[in-house]
Amino acid sequence: EAGVAQSPRYKIIEKRQSVAFWCNPISGHATLYWYQQILGQGPKLLIQFQNNGVVDDSQLPKDRFSAERLKGVDSTLKIQPAKLEDSAVYLCASTQRLDSYEQYFGPGTRLTVT
Amino acid sequence: DQQVKQNSPSLSVQEGRISILNCDYTNSMFDYFLWYKKYPAEGPTFLISISSIKDKNEDGRFTVFLNKSAKHLSLHIVPSQPGDSAVYFCAASVSGGGADGLTFGKGTHLIIQP
């Protein structure tokens, strides 16, 4: 079974530029999450999708971050414009069922904002 | 406000000995707890979990203990092996039957000495 795929793996941009990350969850997994992991911290939930609907985006900085999951499969997370403090690893995870606690994580995208 | 705390940033243990990683939480609504293991440049991988209705869960060399009254859980690895060297994250989920976003601690870097 293929795991959660993410691209790109690394991205370097200047502040005020825009960037987008892509995630393809495990086939058949209905729930998808985006986490932000700043160096030295644990992952922090940004947004949760159930199929193509948003379940929780309470911690997403909506003035600059946006995410979508069209057709309930792939997802894209965008930052526009980026700030220095957005430098982090962005992790995508998925679970198969609504009653499943175990989340499967992708390798992440490391973003550096200069 | 850290709701899940891992107060030891690092832990060094000799190969073959027991590794004990600790985690404390403050939110009494948490009812499910998970441990994830993370190697450099990879996403976290699920290791073991425990429901709040139990006080112990065992899987091979890994055992998780939960003390609800103290809001404390621990992960025991015995015997410790070189491949166990990684960052370990404690994570918790609020009551909801699963699939909610996880709240993570900052992680403990476990180093197994040969």
Side-chain angles (χ1 to χ4, degrees):
Chain A
E1 178 182 73
V4 176
Q6 289 188 247
S7 68
R9 291 297 310 275
Y10 305 91
K11 190 75 177 178
I12 301 174
I13 62 172
E14 295 182 352
K15 58 184 179 184
R16 291 187 289 274
Q17 286 187 324
S18 302
V19 65
F21 312 127
W22 174 82
C23 172
N24 183 245
I26 294 172
S27 178
H29 280 202
T31 309
L32 184 148
Y33 314 79
W34 283 101
Y35 289 86
Q36 179 193 56
Q37 186 180 10
I38 293 172
L39 186 64
Q41 306 286 323
K44 181 186 115 176
L45 180 70
L46 291 176
I47 189 167
Q48 176 186 349
F49 292 93
Q50 176 67 23
N51 296 312
N52 61 348
V54 175
V55 174
D56 181 3
D57 64 355
S58 58
Q59 299 188 85
L60 187 74
K62 298 181 187 64
D63 58 335
R64 298 183 302 104
F65 286 65
S66 64
E68 60 183 10
R69 192 184 183 197
L70 301 175
K71 302 180 183 178
V73 181
D74 294 7
S75 177
T76 303
L77 176 69
K78 296 180 182 178
I79 307 175
Q80 180 180 6
K83 292 185 176 181
L84 295 176
E85 59 260 36
D86 297 332
S87 294
V89 175
Y90 291 84
L91 294 160
C92 179
S94 66
T95 58
Q96 186 172 19
R97 305 186 311 270
L98 196 56
D99 62 348
S100 173
Y101 289 95
E102 182 182 332
Q103 297 179 17
Y104 295 83
F105 283 82
T109 296
R110 179 176 294 278
L111 173 67
T112 302
V113 182
T114 64
Chain B
D1 178 32
Q2 276 267 299
Q3 297 186 64
V4 176
K5 299 176 184 178
Q6 292 179 258
N7 292 320
S8 298
S10 66
L11 175 67
S12 184
V13 174
Q14 201 165 11
E15 182 180 357
R17 301 282 186 125
I18 184 170
S19 295
I20 300 176
L21 293 90
N22 294 304
C23 177
D24 297 291
Y25 62 96
T26 57
N27 189 342
S28 57
M29 295 297 292
F30 288 144
D31 72 342
Y32 203 86
F33 304 89
L34 306 91
W35 285 93
Y36 279 81
K37 177 179 178 179
K38 186 181 184 302
Y39 292 119
E42 295 183 11
T45 55
F46 171 75
L47 195 56
I48 192 169
S49 61
I50 187 166
S51 164
S52 60
I53 63 173
K54 295 185 177 182
D55 55 17
K56 177 183 175 181
N57 189 27
E58 196 170 352
D59 183 2
R61 297 186 297 114
F62 303 92
T63 303
V64 56
F65 296 92
L66 175 62
N67 182 334
K68 281 187 64 178
S69 60
K71 292 190 174 69
H72 176 84
L73 61 155
S74 61
L75 173 68
H76 292 211
I77 306 172
V78 56
S80 300
Q81 299 175 354
D84 296 331
S85 294
V87 177
Y88 289 79
F89 290 100
C90 174
S93 179
V94 174
S95 176
D100 290 335
L102 299 175
T103 301
F104 284 84
K106 290 186 178 183
T108 296
H109 186 193
L110 176 64
I111 301 162
I112 305 301
Q113 305 277 9

CSV table of all heavy atoms in Angstrom, one decimal, chain B residues 3 23-33 50-56 64-74 92-95:
chain,number,residue,atom,x,y,z
B,3,GLN,N,-0.6,21.9,26.0
B,3,GLN,CA,-1.5,20.9,26.6
B,3,GLN,C,-0.9,19.5,26.8
B,3,GLN,O,-1.4,18.7,27.6
B,3,GLN,CB,-2.8,20.8,25.8
B,3,GLN,CG,-3.6,22.1,25.7
B,3,GLN,CD,-4.9,21.9,25.0
B,3,GLN,OE1,-5.8,21.2,25.5
B,3,GLN,NE2,-5.1,22.6,23.9
B,23,CYS,N,5.4,11.7,29.5
B,23,CYS,CA,4.5,12.7,28.8
B,23,CYS,C,3.4,13.1,29.9
B,23,CYS,O,2.9,12.2,30.6
B,23,CYS,CB,3.8,12.1,27.6
B,23,CYS,SG,2.6,13.1,26.8
B,24,ASP,N,3.2,14.4,30.0
B,24,ASP,CA,2.1,14.9,30.9
B,24,ASP,C,1.1,15.7,30.0
B,24,ASP,O,1.5,16.3,29.0
B,24,ASP,CB,2.7,15.8,32.0
B,24,ASP,CG,3.7,15.0,32.9
B,24,ASP,OD1,3.2,14.2,33.6
B,24,ASP,OD2,4.9,15.3,32.8
B,25,TYR,N,-0.1,15.7,30.5
B,25,TYR,CA,-1.1,16.5,29.8
B,25,TYR,C,-2.0,17.3,30.7
B,25,TYR,O,-2.0,16.9,31.9
B,25,TYR,CB,-2.0,15.6,28.9
B,25,TYR,CG,-2.8,14.5,29.6
B,25,TYR,CD1,-4.1,14.8,29.9
B,25,TYR,CD2,-2.2,13.3,29.9
B,25,TYR,CE1,-4.9,13.8,30.5
B,25,TYR,CE2,-3.0,12.3,30.5
B,25,TYR,CZ,-4.3,12.6,30.8
B,25,TYR,OH,-5.0,11.6,31.5
B,26,THR,N,-2.6,18.3,30.2
B,26,THR,CA,-3.4,19.2,31.1
B,26,THR,C,-4.9,19.2,30.8
B,26,THR,O,-5.7,19.5,31.7
B,26,THR,CB,-2.9,20.6,31.0
B,26,THR,OG1,-3.0,21.1,29.7
B,26,THR,CG2,-1.4,20.8,31.5
B,27,ASN,N,-5.2,18.8,29.6
B,27,ASN,CA,-6.6,18.8,29.2
B,27,ASN,C,-7.3,17.5,29.6
B,27,ASN,O,-7.0,16.5,29.0
B,27,ASN,CB,-6.7,19.0,27.6
B,27,ASN,CG,-8.1,19.3,27.1
B,27,ASN,OD1,-9.1,19.0,27.8
B,27,ASN,ND2,-8.2,19.8,25.9
B,28,SER,N,-8.2,17.6,30.5
B,28,SER,CA,-8.9,16.4,31.0
B,28,SER,C,-9.9,15.9,29.9
B,28,SER,O,-10.5,14.8,30.1
B,28,SER,CB,-9.7,16.7,32.3
B,28,SER,OG,-10.6,17.8,32.1
B,29,MET,N,-10.1,16.6,28.8
B,29,MET,CA,-11.0,16.1,27.8
B,29,MET,C,-10.3,15.1,26.9
B,29,MET,O,-10.9,14.4,26.1
B,29,MET,CB,-11.5,17.2,26.9
B,29,MET,CG,-12.4,18.2,27.7
B,29,MET,SD,-13.9,17.4,28.2
B,29,MET,CE,-14.7,17.0,26.7
B,30,PHE,N,-8.9,15.0,27.0
B,30,PHE,CA,-8.2,14.0,26.2
B,30,PHE,C,-8.6,12.6,26.6
B,30,PHE,O,-8.6,12.3,27.8
B,30,PHE,CB,-6.7,14.2,26.4
B,30,PHE,CG,-6.1,15.4,25.7
B,30,PHE,CD1,-5.1,16.1,26.3
B,30,PHE,CD2,-6.6,15.8,24.5
B,30,PHE,CE1,-4.5,17.2,25.7
B,30,PHE,CE2,-6.0,17.0,23.9
B,30,PHE,CZ,-5.0,17.6,24.5
B,31,ASP,N,-9.0,11.8,25.6
B,31,ASP,CA,-9.4,10.4,26.0
B,31,ASP,C,-8.7,9.3,25.2
B,31,ASP,O,-9.0,8.1,25.3
B,31,ASP,CB,-10.9,10.3,25.9
B,31,ASP,CG,-11.3,10.2,24.4
B,31,ASP,OD1,-10.5,10.6,23.5
B,31,ASP,OD2,-12.5,9.7,24.1
B,32,TYR,N,-7.7,9.7,24.4
B,32,TYR,CA,-7.0,8.7,23.6
B,32,TYR,C,-5.6,9.3,23.4
B,32,TYR,O,-5.4,10.5,23.1
B,32,TYR,CB,-7.7,8.5,22.3
B,32,TYR,CG,-7.3,7.2,21.6
B,32,TYR,CD1,-8.0,6.0,22.0
B,32,TYR,CD2,-6.3,7.0,20.7
B,32,TYR,CE1,-7.7,4.8,21.4
B,32,TYR,CE2,-5.9,5.8,20.2
B,32,TYR,CZ,-6.7,4.7,20.5
B,32,TYR,OH,-6.3,3.5,20.0
B,33,PHE,N,-4.6,8.4,23.6
B,33,PHE,CA,-3.2,8.9,23.5
B,33,PHE,C,-2.4,8.0,22.6
B,33,PHE,O,-2.6,6.8,22.6
B,33,PHE,CB,-2.6,8.9,25.0
B,33,PHE,CG,-3.4,9.7,25.9
B,33,PHE,CD1,-4.4,9.1,26.6
B,33,PHE,CD2,-3.1,11.0,26.1
B,33,PHE,CE1,-5.2,9.9,27.5
B,33,PHE,CE2,-3.9,11.8,27.0
B,33,PHE,CZ,-4.9,11.2,27.7
B,50,ILE,N,-3.2,4.2,23.5
B,50,ILE,CA,-3.9,3.7,24.6
B,50,ILE,C,-5.2,4.6,24.8
B,50,ILE,O,-5.1,5.8,24.6
B,50,ILE,CB,-3.1,3.7,25.9
B,50,ILE,CG1,-3.8,3.1,27.1
B,50,ILE,CG2,-2.6,5.1,26.3
B,50,ILE,CD1,-2.9,2.7,28.2
B,51,SER,N,-6.3,3.9,25.1
B,51,SER,CA,-7.5,4.6,25.4
B,51,SER,C,-7.5,4.9,26.9
B,51,SER,O,-6.9,4.3,27.7
B,51,SER,CB,-8.7,3.7,25.1
B,51,SER,OG,-9.9,4.1,25.7
B,52,SER,N,-8.3,6.0,27.2
B,52,SER,CA,-8.4,6.4,28.6
B,52,SER,C,-9.1,5.4,29.5
B,52,SER,O,-9.0,5.5,30.7
B,52,SER,CB,-9.0,7.8,28.7
B,52,SER,OG,-10.4,7.7,28.2
B,53,ILE,N,-9.7,4.4,28.9
B,53,ILE,CA,-10.4,3.4,29.8
B,53,ILE,C,-9.4,2.3,30.2
B,53,ILE,O,-9.8,1.4,31.0
B,53,ILE,CB,-11.6,2.8,29.0
B,53,ILE,CG1,-11.2,2.0,27.8
B,53,ILE,CG2,-12.6,3.8,28.7
B,53,ILE,CD1,-12.3,1.3,27.1
B,54,LYS,N,-8.2,2.4,29.7
B,54,LYS,CA,-7.2,1.4,30.0
B,54,LYS,C,-6.1,2.1,30.8
B,54,LYS,O,-5.9,3.3,30.7
B,54,LYS,CB,-6.6,0.7,28.8
B,54,LYS,CG,-7.6,-0.1,28.0
B,54,LYS,CD,-7.0,-0.9,26.9
B,54,LYS,CE,-7.9,-1.8,26.2
B,54,LYS,NZ,-7.2,-2.5,25.1
B,55,ASP,N,-5.2,1.3,31.5
B,55,ASP,CA,-4.1,1.9,32.1
B,55,ASP,C,-2.8,1.3,31.6
B,55,ASP,O,-1.7,1.7,31.9
B,55,ASP,CB,-4.1,1.7,33.6
B,55,ASP,CG,-4.3,0.3,34.1
B,55,ASP,OD1,-4.1,-0.7,33.2
B,55,ASP,OD2,-4.6,0.0,35.2
B,56,LYS,N,-2.9,0.3,30.6
B,56,LYS,CA,-1.7,-0.3,30.1
B,56,LYS,C,-2.0,-0.9,28.7
B,56,LYS,O,-3.1,-1.5,28.5
B,56,LYS,CB,-1.2,-1.4,31.0
B,56,LYS,CG,0.0,-2.1,30.5
B,56,LYS,CD,0.4,-3.2,31.5
B,56,LYS,CE,1.5,-4.1,31.0
B,56,LYS,NZ,1.9,-5.2,32.0
B,64,VAL,N,2.8,1.1,26.9
B,64,VAL,CA,2.4,2.4,27.3
B,64,VAL,C,1.6,2.3,28.5
B,64,VAL,O,0.7,1.5,28.6
B,64,VAL,CB,1.7,3.2,26.2
B,64,VAL,CG1,0.5,2.4,25.7
B,64,VAL,CG2,1.3,4.6,26.6
B,65,PHE,N,1.9,3.1,29.5
B,65,PHE,CA,1.2,3.2,30.8
B,65,PHE,C,0.5,4.5,30.9
B,65,PHE,O,1.0,5.6,30.6
B,65,PHE,CB,2.1,3.0,32.0
B,65,PHE,CG,2.8,1.7,32.0
B,65,PHE,CD1,4.1,1.5,31.4
B,65,PHE,CD2,2.2,0.6,32.7
B,65,PHE,CE1,4.7,0.3,31.4
B,65,PHE,CE2,2.9,-0.6,32.7
B,65,PHE,CZ,4.1,-0.8,32.1
B,66,LEU,N,-0.8,4.5,31.4
B,66,LEU,CA,-1.5,5.7,31.6
B,66,LEU,C,-2.0,5.9,33.0
B,66,LEU,O,-2.6,4.9,33.5
B,66,LEU,CB,-2.8,5.7,30.6
B,66,LEU,CG,-3.7,6.9,30.8
B,66,LEU,CD1,-3.0,8.2,30.5
B,66,LEU,CD2,-5.0,6.7,29.9
B,67,ASN,N,-1.7,7.0,33.6
B,67,ASN,CA,-2.2,7.3,35.0
B,67,ASN,C,-3.1,8.5,34.8
B,67,ASN,O,-2.6,9.7,34.8
B,67,ASN,CB,-1.0,7.6,35.9
B,67,ASN,CG,-1.4,7.9,37.3
B,67,ASN,OD1,-2.5,8.4,37.6
B,67,ASN,ND2,-0.5,7.6,38.2
B,68,LYS,N,-4.4,8.3,34.7
B,68,LYS,CA,-5.3,9.4,34.5
B,68,LYS,C,-5.4,10.4,35.6
B,68,LYS,O,-5.5,11.6,35.4
B,68,LYS,CB,-6.7,8.8,34.3
B,68,LYS,CG,-7.0,8.3,32.9
B,68,LYS,CD,-8.4,7.9,32.7
B,68,LYS,CE,-9.3,9.1,32.7
B,68,LYS,NZ,-10.7,8.8,32.5
B,69,SER,N,-5.3,9.9,36.9
B,69,SER,CA,-5.4,10.8,38.0
B,69,SER,C,-4.2,11.8,38.0
B,69,SER,O,-4.3,13.0,38.4
B,69,SER,CB,-5.4,10.1,39.3
B,69,SER,OG,-4.3,9.3,39.5
B,70,ALA,N,-3.0,11.3,37.5
B,70,ALA,CA,-1.9,12.2,37.5
B,70,ALA,C,-1.7,12.9,36.1
B,70,ALA,O,-0.8,13.7,35.9
B,70,ALA,CB,-0.6,11.4,37.8
B,71,LYS,N,-2.6,12.6,35.2
B,71,LYS,CA,-2.5,13.1,33.8
B,71,LYS,C,-1.1,12.8,33.3
B,71,LYS,O,-0.4,13.8,32.8
B,71,LYS,CB,-2.9,14.6,33.8
B,71,LYS,CG,-4.3,14.9,34.1
B,71,LYS,CD,-4.7,16.3,33.7
B,71,LYS,CE,-6.1,16.6,33.9
B,71,LYS,NZ,-6.6,16.6,35.3
B,72,HIS,N,-0.7,11.6,33.3
B,72,HIS,CA,0.7,11.2,33.0
B,72,HIS,C,0.7,9.9,32.2
B,72,HIS,O,-0.1,9.0,32.6
B,72,HIS,CB,1.5,11.1,34.2
B,72,HIS,CG,2.9,10.6,34.0
B,72,HIS,ND1,3.9,11.5,33.6
B,72,HIS,CD2,3.5,9.4,34.0
B,72,HIS,CE1,5.0,10.8,33.4
B,72,HIS,NE2,4.8,9.5,33.6
B,73,LEU,N,1.5,9.8,31.2
B,73,LEU,CA,1.7,8.6,30.5
B,73,LEU,C,3.1,8.4,30.2
B,73,LEU,O,3.9,9.4,30.2
B,73,LEU,CB,0.8,8.4,29.2
B,73,LEU,CG,1.0,9.4,28.1
B,73,LEU,CD1,0.5,8.7,26.8
B,73,LEU,CD2,0.1,10.6,28.2
B,74,SER,N,3.5,7.1,30.0
B,74,SER,CA,4.9,6.8,29.8
B,74,SER,C,5.0,5.7,28.7
B,74,SER,O,4.1,4.9,28.6
B,74,SER,CB,5.6,6.4,31.0
B,74,SER,OG,5.1,5.3,31.6
B,92,ALA,N,-2.2,13.4,21.8
B,92,ALA,CA,-3.5,13.2,22.5
B,92,ALA,C,-4.7,13.7,21.6
B,92,ALA,O,-4.5,14.6,20.8
B,92,ALA,CB,-3.5,13.9,23.8
B,93,SER,N,-5.8,13.0,21.8
B,93,SER,CA,-7.0,13.3,21.1
B,93,SER,C,-8.2,13.6,22.0
B,93,SER,O,-8.3,12.9,23.0
B,93,SER,CB,-7.4,12.2,20.1
B,93,SER,OG,-8.6,12.5,19.4
B,94,VAL,N,-8.9,14.6,21.7
B,94,VAL,CA,-10.1,15.0,22.6
B,94,VAL,C,-11.2,14.0,22.2
B,94,VAL,O,-11.4,13.6,21.1
B,94,VAL,CB,-10.6,16.4,22.3
B,94,VAL,CG1,-11.8,16.7,23.1
B,94,VAL,CG2,-9.5,17.4,22.7
B,95,SER,N,-12.0,13.7,23.2
B,95,SER,CA,-13.2,12.8,23.1
B,95,SER,C,-14.0,13.2,21.8
B,95,SER,O,-14.3,14.3,21.6
B,95,SER,CB,-14.1,12.9,24.3
B,95,SER,OG,-15.2,12.2,24.1
